């Protein structure tokens, strides 16, 4: 079964540093998302991406965050200057059709900001 | 605002049936999904209801009442491996693709 692949699985970074989280979506997916989950809390929407542009972003997704899919395969989330509160599990997800009901999530990147 | 409510935890015994409820208040409602998550791993899609009624997929069933803003996930013939967190998520349609708004999740513990 096709999978969404995320790298790295765990990233430790110092506060103020930039991080890039990478995702390889399923090849026939058209809609891509980033979600995050702070330890012990619910999964929160960050951003949706379609046709090489952001469709919607949450209030969490401020100017420190950016996404891109430069080569048509990798889908990246960049945090420019990390804060302690950015420590969370970050999940990439995708689906084929905007009306399709099931999202496929990657296994996540655990980001720890120290 | 958007909010979903789920009980924080449920305990049941192997072989039993368990129902996990979800109530929601959202705008732009398009459907209710259920996801399973083991130990902080990838949420795995289980079921989806766009219309009122019951959807069945093997041991899992999901129910939706749009008029009551309520749904539930029913697990039958519980197995130890079903111990996990279960999240309801409202699918909100917005521009292209929409998004999922998740509840806080119900931690299911299955005892022998």
């Amino acid at each position: 079964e096709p999978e969404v692949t995320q790298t790295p699985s765990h990233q430790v970074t110092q506060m103020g540093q930039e991080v890039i989280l990478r995702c390889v979506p399923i090849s026939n997916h058209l809609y891509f998302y980033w979600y995050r989950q702070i330890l012990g809390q619910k999964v929160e929407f960050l951003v949706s991406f379609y046709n090489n542009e952001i469709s919607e972003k949450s209030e969490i997704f401020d100017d420190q965050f950016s996404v891109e899919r430069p080569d048509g395969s990798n889908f990246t989330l960049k945090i420019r200057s990390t804060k302690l509160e950015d420590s969370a599990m970050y999940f990439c997800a995708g689906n084929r059709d905007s009306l399709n009901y099931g999202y496929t999530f990657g296994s996540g990147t655990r980001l720890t900001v120290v | 605002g958007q909010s979903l409510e789920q009980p924080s935890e449920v305990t049941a015994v192997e072989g039993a049936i368990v129902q996990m409820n979800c109530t929601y208040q959202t705008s732009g409602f398009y459907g209710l999904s259920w996801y399973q998550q083991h130990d902080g791993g990838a949420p795995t899609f289980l079921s989806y209801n766009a219309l009122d009624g019951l959807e069945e997929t093997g041991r899992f069933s999901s129910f939706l009442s749009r008029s009551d803003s309520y749904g539930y996930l029913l697990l039958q013939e519980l197995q130890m491996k079903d111990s996990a967190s279960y999240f309801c998520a409202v699918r909100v349609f917005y521009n292209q693709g929409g998004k999922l708004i998740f509840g806080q999740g119900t931690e299911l513990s299955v005892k022998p």
Side-chain angles (χ1 to χ4, degrees), chain B residues 5-11 18-22 34-35 37 82-88 103-109:
Chain B
E5 289 198 18
Q6 300 181 251
S8 58
E9 52 186 39
V10 169
T11 302
V18 70
Q19 178 175 313
M20 288 175 281
N21 299 321
C22 174
W34 290 89
Y35 285 80
Q37 187 182 41
D82 296 328
S83 293
S85 293
Y86 291 83
F87 293 88
C88 61
Q104 293 280 1
T106 297
E107 183 80 32
L108 172 64
S109 297

Side-chain angles (χ1 to χ4, degrees), chain A residues 31 48 50 54-57 98, chain B residues 92-99:
Chain A
Y31 300 86
S48 59
Y50 169 73
I54 291 174
S55 307
E56 188 187 356
K57 55 187 180 180
S98 63
Chain B
V92 176
F93 190 78
Y94 184 94
N95 293 334
Q96 298 289 349
K99 63 183 179 183

Side-chain angles (χ1 to χ4, degrees), chain A residues 69-98:
Chain A
R69 194 166 180 245
D71 56 6
S73 61
N74 291 297
F75 179 47
T76 62
L77 174 69
K78 182 193 292 186
I79 310 175
R80 265 181 268 282
S81 178
T82 49
K83 304 188 281 283
L84 294 176
E85 54 265 37
D86 294 328
S87 294
M89 194 74 157
Y90 287 80
F91 292 106
C92 173
N95 63 348
R96 176 177 169 74
D97 185 326
S98 63

Side-chain angles (χ1 to χ4, degrees), chain A residues 26-73:
Chain A
I26 293 171
S27 59
N28 65 356
H29 281 183
L30 300 175
Y31 300 86
F32 310 106
Y33 312 86
W34 283 100
Y35 287 80
R36 80 170 186 190
Q37 185 178 32
I38 295 170
L39 188 63
Q41 298 187 23
K42 66 180 178 181
V43 178
E44 299 176 289
F45 170 76
L46 291 178
V47 66
S48 59
F49 191 85
Y50 169 73
N51 200 26
N52 276 323
E53 59 183 27
I54 291 174
S55 307
E56 188 187 356
K57 55 187 180 180
S58 72
E59 60 275 9
I60 301 168
F61 194 91
D62 61 21
D63 292 344
Q64 294 300 312
F65 290 85
S66 63
V67 290
E68 62 177 10
R69 194 166 180 245
D71 56 6
S73 61

